[in-house]
Amino acid sequence: MDSRVSELFGGCCRPAGGGAGATLRGRGGAAPGGGGGSKTKKKNGRSRGGKANNPPFLPPELKLVNPSQYRFEHLVTQMKWRLQEGRGEAVYQIGVEDNGLLVGLLEEEMRASLKTLRRMAEKVGADITVLREREVDYDSDVPRKITEVLVRKVPDNQQFLDLRVAVLGNVDSGKSTLLGVLTQGELDNGRGRARLNLFRHLHEIQSGRTSSISFEILGFNSKGEVVNYSDSRTAEEICESSSKMITFIDLAGHHKYLKTTIFGLTSYCPDFAMLVVSANTGIAGTTREHLGLAMALKVPFFIVISKVDLCSKATVERTVKQLERILKQPGCNKLPLLVNSDDDAVTAAQQFAQSPNITPIFTLSSVSGENLDLLKVFLNILPPLTNSKEQEELMQQLTEFQVDEIYTVPEVGTVVGGTLSSGICREGENLVVGPTDDGKFLRLKVCSIQRNRSACRVLRAGQAATLALGPFDRSLLRKGMVMVSPEMNPTICSLFEAEIVLLFHATTFRKGFQVTVHVGNVRQTAIVEKIHGKDKLRTGEKAVVCFRFIKHPEYLKIGAKLLFREGVTKGIGHVTDLQAITTKENGLEESLGSGQLSF
């Protein structure tokens, strides 16, 4: 979004450019959202360099007023391209020239332009929704307007846009309650009723604390309206009705479940993180640690201050100032953006994905529902981090599926859950899974696929799903394995090197020290074999360290992000070198129930 447009709509963040057409200005990849803004008049018409603010002459065809058939077809083709680039979403700015001049249109011209835009959307199978509308002052009696419009493709063949949002925060900050309110469509009663449907274990219900990783879905249809369990009875109905899906990964807040939280952040590859902070307790417990994890793994995050109904306005402001102070510190270098209106939510969502330094802050209540709609508008407009070209490149690669969860389902057999890192996976496809404890890979067949609890025939790179493996022996599987194409000839290792930064250690970090290493979906204890160029490390120092897994080999990739911990010891880095053990040395095995065949 151009800086002048951002200024006019009240945005306070540095925007990025893009454009399409003389008075119809579009931007693919910026996700749309619902609801038009208020029509407040702001004198921003002079932002064109101090020239006279006389309304320029614009040919009728450049305003989308009764375009010729040739121009209409050209604009339709342009819209198709923008929707493809934005993975089914785009935001158009009507009344803004290609160079960012805030021209504005008359009321009649705007109605005709919106009518043409609606015809274009129908032609490509999309819906449009007005996001917000503003008047541009040209010192004339006739008001001129610019309008931001959402264009979102109607879902077909289950190809809805899916974003994963990890939910972080201290214990008792209201994470599960907020997700319950968003996904169930009913406010909480103040005693945790909304979170009951999210818990997976009896002890979670009894204690009120999340100890495992759970997934909840929130949908938005092509018009930007919320689709959740209040309107739909099953997950299948939500998927069928939605053009965009937000999958929330509910993580544990208590410190003793920290390894589960780290596993959720590293293995499920969230697009964004939502840090929930209680207004009455402020930054306490694991809040700083979770904030540090999101920054270390470079996951863009936004902040939700919950339970504002329990405190005074002064307490909420104090918590906001506390967060702003931390975000502005040299270690964070973030620009906090407090969201107080629909316009703020639209601006925050558009700028959040474009600039890594912007951190939106919401203040809301799951009991009174205060400002809950602002969060929904933000989530609705939140764009994907990858464009269609990057997605296509991932899909061209060989199949690689990370195993994060393992289940046994009656009458179905063994089921694994995880994320497809690259390639395409189809029903009936033959893959190999490993490495096993002795470093081997086993052949298997994918019997069926489910995404968001509904059947799916094809899985594409970046999508999370569960795969049914039929009679495959569950005891041969474990978290951290990968399912890959047999053509890949996957490499595994027990010994690897990583360039690390020691974030904290009470004494000195030496050879022989044992840490728990997290690399993607891999989580295993490793021992420090060697520190290159040094005998020991202290807090804040960097080095290339050689690690060795103490139990079994793992599938790693050079360049993968690494996080290790042991008690209060913490460090981050990336894998730089592998001492690979090829599958030719280990061989392949096939598992069909109880029988095994060596190749």
Side-chain angles (χ1 to χ4, degrees):
M1 187 168 59
D2 189 89
S3 58
R4 284 160 284 202
V5 182
S6 177
E7 207 177 302
L8 183 66
F9 281 117
C12 60
C13 307
R14 186 181 66 81
T23 58
L24 172 69
R25 191 163 180 275
R27 178 170 54 78
S38 59
K39 301 177 183 179
T40 307
K41 191 171 180 179
K42 294 190 178 182
K43 294 183 181 281
N44 288 326
R46 299 187 183 276
S47 60
R48 302 190 300 155
K51 295 183 180 180
N53 289 329
N54 297 321
F57 171 75
L58 295 171
E61 65 269 17
L62 295 185
K63 306 177 200 171
L64 299 186
V65 179
N66 300 321
S68 65
Q69 185 62 30
Y70 172 79
R71 175 158 172 77
F72 181 78
E73 293 298 332
H74 171 74
L75 290 168
V76 168
T77 303
Q78 188 184 72
M79 180 177 282
K80 283 181 182 177
W81 181 82
R82 293 195 175 279
L83 287 173
Q84 183 182 356
E85 283 296 297
R87 292 172 62 185
E89 300 184 337
V91 171
Y92 277 79
Q93 296 163 353
I94 304 179
V96 182
E97 286 193 359
D98 230 11
N99 58 7
L101 296 185
L102 308 182
V103 176
L105 297 181
L106 300 175
E107 184 74 35
E108 188 177 337
E109 295 169 345
M110 184 62 76
R111 279 201 303 269
S113 296
L114 288 173
K115 184 179 178 182
T116 303
L117 194 63
R118 193 168 283 108
R119 283 175 52 213
M120 290 160 54
E122 288 174 0
K123 188 92 172 174
V124 300
D127 282 329
I128 73 167
T129 305
V130 174
L131 292 181
R132 48 187 181 174
E133 195 175 64
R134 283 290 180 272
E135 288 186 4
V136 181
D137 185 15
Y138 278 101
D139 296 333
S140 66
D141 296 333
V142 183
R144 304 179 72 86
K145 297 179 179 178
I146 65 172
T147 303
E148 267 191 302
V149 182
L150 129 98
V151 182
R152 178 176 280 167
K153 199 164 173 56
V154 178
D156 55 346
N157 195 27
Q158 295 182 323
Q159 293 311 306
F160 50 79
L161 177 60
D162 190 8
L163 298 182
R164 291 187 292 278
V165 178
V167 185
L168 302 170
N170 189 36
V171 64
D172 299 332
S173 60
K175 301 184 295 297
S176 298
T177 300
L178 175 59
L179 295 191
V181 170
L182 288 172
T183 58
Q184 304 297 325
E186 292 182 4
L187 295 175
D188 188 51
N189 63 351
R191 295 187 296 276
R193 180 181 63 188
R195 68 188 179 193
L196 292 178
N197 291 324
L198 276 66
F199 289 146
R200 298 174 63 184
H201 306 290
L202 179 60
H203 72 265
E204 291 182 327
I205 297 173
Q206 292 170 343
S207 66
R209 292 177 177 175
T210 303
S211 64
S212 59
I213 301 173
S214 61
F215 299 85
E216 295 300 322
I217 56 174
L218 174 68
F220 294 94
N221 63 19
S222 56
K223 296 181 180 178
E225 299 165 344
V226 172
V227 182
N228 55 23
Y229 287 107
S230 64
D231 307 311
S232 310
R233 295 182 180 180
T234 63
E236 288 98 330
E237 291 180 23
I238 294 178
C239 293
E240 287 171 6
S241 307
S242 300
S243 294
K244 180 176 186 175
M245 192 77 69
I246 307 290
T247 302
F248 292 105
I249 308 169
D250 190 17
L251 302 175
H254 199 282
H255 191 272
K256 69 179 180 180
Y257 305 124
L258 182 62
K259 72 172 186 178
T260 303
T261 301
I262 295 176
F263 182 77
L265 275 174
T266 56
S267 64
Y268 291 107
C269 309
D271 299 290
F272 305 99
M274 178 170 72
L275 181 67
V276 182
V277 179
S278 177
N280 55 351
T281 58
I283 298 174
T286 56
T287 304
R288 285 177 185 269
E289 199 157 11
H290 287 188
L291 176 63
L293 286 172
M295 293 196 63
L297 296 169
K298 297 182 179 178
V299 180
F301 64 92
F302 58 96
I303 297 175
V304 171
I305 299 175
S306 63
K307 303 185 181 181
V308 297
D309 57 298
L310 292 180
C311 353
S312 63
K313 189 175 180 181
T315 305
V316 176
E317 288 176 354
R318 187 170 66 247
T319 303
V320 171
K321 287 179 181 177
Q322 189 183 14
L323 281 166
E324 288 177 342
R325 188 165 58 250
I326 288 177
L327 292 173
K328 290 177 181 178
Q329 285 177 353
C332 289
N333 290 325
K334 298 290 183 181
L335 177 63
L337 173 60
L338 188 61
V339 177
N340 291 316
S341 65
D342 281 355
D343 274 357
D344 289 344
V346 172
T347 302
Q350 291 177 342
Q351 301 307 319
F352 180 50
Q354 294 172 8
S355 172
N357 294 327
I358 292 171
T359 303
I361 301 176
F362 298 83
T363 58
L364 53 81
S365 168
S366 299
V367 175
S368 66
E370 180 183 346
N371 290 341
L372 205 58
D373 287 341
L374 299 184
L375 182 60
K376 292 177 183 176
V377 168
F378 175 81
L379 292 171
N380 183 29
I381 305 176
L382 201 57
L385 292 176
T386 57
N387 57 32
S388 58
K389 185 179 179 181
E390 292 169 336
Q391 184 78 1
E392 286 293 329
E393 288 175 357
L394 279 175
M395 288 166 58
Q396 297 299 324
Q397 299 174 16
L398 292 173
T399 303
E400 181 184 323
F401 182 87
Q402 295 183 351
V403 177
D404 299 329
E405 298 282 350
I406 305 164
Y407 317 94
T408 300
V409 180
E411 300 180 6
V412 175
T414 303
V415 175
V416 295
T419 307
L420 188 67
S421 305
S422 61
I424 294 176
C425 182
R426 296 180 174 85
E427 280 187 3
E429 189 165 352
N430 293 308
L431 302 173
V432 295
V433 63
T436 59
D437 288 352
D438 54 358
K440 295 179 180 177
F441 278 75
L442 311 173
R443 297 188 184 274
L444 53 77
K445 182 179 180 180
V446 178
C447 300
S448 62
I449 305 172
Q450 282 202 349
R451 273 187 74 200
N452 290 317
R453 302 166 196 165
S454 59
C456 173
R457 292 190 178 277
V458 181
L459 188 65
R460 291 173 172 79
Q463 296 177 345
T466 52
L467 312 181
L469 307 181
F472 192 89
D473 187 359
R474 175 180 173 170
S475 65
L476 298 173
L477 298 172
R478 59 175 174 80
K479 291 182 182 180
M481 283 185 165
V482 288
M483 294 165 52
V484 297
S485 170
E487 303 158 20
M488 185 181 284
N489 190 23
T491 57
I492 59 177
C493 70
S494 288
L495 205 64
F496 68 96
E497 290 184 354
E499 187 178 329
I500 67 160
V501 178
L502 189 61
L503 298 178
F504 182 80
H505 188 58
T507 56
T508 53
F509 190 77
R510 298 173 180 272
K511 177 183 175 181
F513 194 75
Q514 290 189 4
V515 292
T516 302
V517 173
H518 297 261
V519 185
N521 65 332
V522 171
R523 179 178 67 190
Q524 193 184 153
T525 302
I527 189 168
V528 177
E529 288 287 321
K530 184 180 179 182
I531 302 175
H532 290 279
K534 295 182 180 180
D535 294 329
K536 57 189 177 183
L537 283 180
R538 294 186 181 275
T539 300
E541 292 184 344
K542 294 182 180 180
V544 176
V545 177
C546 181
F547 292 96
R548 177 174 55 83
F549 290 123
I550 66 170
K551 191 174 182 184
H552 44 69
E554 300 282 8
Y555 173 82
L556 298 181
K557 282 183 174 179
I558 292 177
K561 294 175 188 173
L562 173 144
L563 190 148
F564 63 87
R565 61 176 185 85
E566 181 55 45
V568 294
T569 301
K570 294 180 184 65
I572 59 172
H574 62 276
V575 178
T576 56
D577 193 21
L578 306 173
Q579 189 170 319
I581 308 168
T582 63
T583 51
K584 289 180 181 178
E585 296 175 30
N586 292 282
L588 284 172
E589 289 187 357
E590 183 172 9
S591 172
L592 294 171
S594 57
Q596 294 185 15
L597 286 172
S598 295
F599 282 74

